[in-house]
Amino acid sequence: MIMPTALDYCRMADVLADDEVEDRLPAGWSTDGDEITRAFEFDDYMKGVNFAQVAGEIAEAQYHHPEIRIRYEEVEVRLTSHEAGGITEKDIEMAEILNAETD
């Protein structure tokens, strides 16, 4: 029996309907086209850099890689499932995980 890889799981994800995305969007996140996005605010630059590193490590473990922009006192994260062509359950889950990192 051949086991699916992480990439196979990414390809199997279904794009969520717009109303489903809005209903399930975690606190602080918004939609921007086929992405969900949030700007996390920090007291200083290095706290943001540290968060971006943690987010990168989580993304690697989830095999789901967001766009991350580091600014002074702010880190913007954008999530979409390119393979599926839009926002999937995987994006919502990743947003929830990132929110938990800042609680």
Side-chain angles (χ1 to χ4, degrees):
M1 178 173 165
I2 298 173
M3 299 299 295
T5 66
L7 185 57
D8 292 327
Y9 285 115
C10 289
R11 289 184 181 133
M12 288 190 263
D14 292 328
V15 173
L16 300 174
D18 291 345
D19 59 337
E20 190 173 6
V21 171
E22 290 298 329
D23 289 344
R24 303 201 43 228
L25 210 54
W29 291 81
S30 61
T31 58
D32 184 9
D34 64 352
E35 298 177 320
I36 59 174
T37 183
R38 178 174 176 188
F40 293 88
E41 295 182 6
F42 298 93
D43 293 339
D44 64 46
Y45 179 75
M46 289 310 296
K47 287 181 182 177
V49 169
N50 289 336
F51 171 76
Q53 178 181 350
V54 169
E57 290 171 2
I58 292 168
E60 187 65 16
Q62 296 287 318
Y63 199 77
H64 194 59
H65 304 97
E67 179 179 325
I68 301 173
R69 293 183 183 159
I70 303 170
R71 299 184 183 101
Y72 189 76
E73 298 184 352
E74 181 181 279
V75 176
E76 180 188 35
V77 179
R78 302 178 80 80
L79 292 162
T80 191
S81 296
H82 297 285
E83 301 85 5
I87 301 165
T88 68
E89 175 67 29
K90 199 160 180 76
D91 301 303
I92 301 295
E93 288 174 5
M94 184 70 169
E96 290 169 346
I97 291 168
L98 293 176
N99 275 5
E101 286 298 316
T102 59
D103 288 344

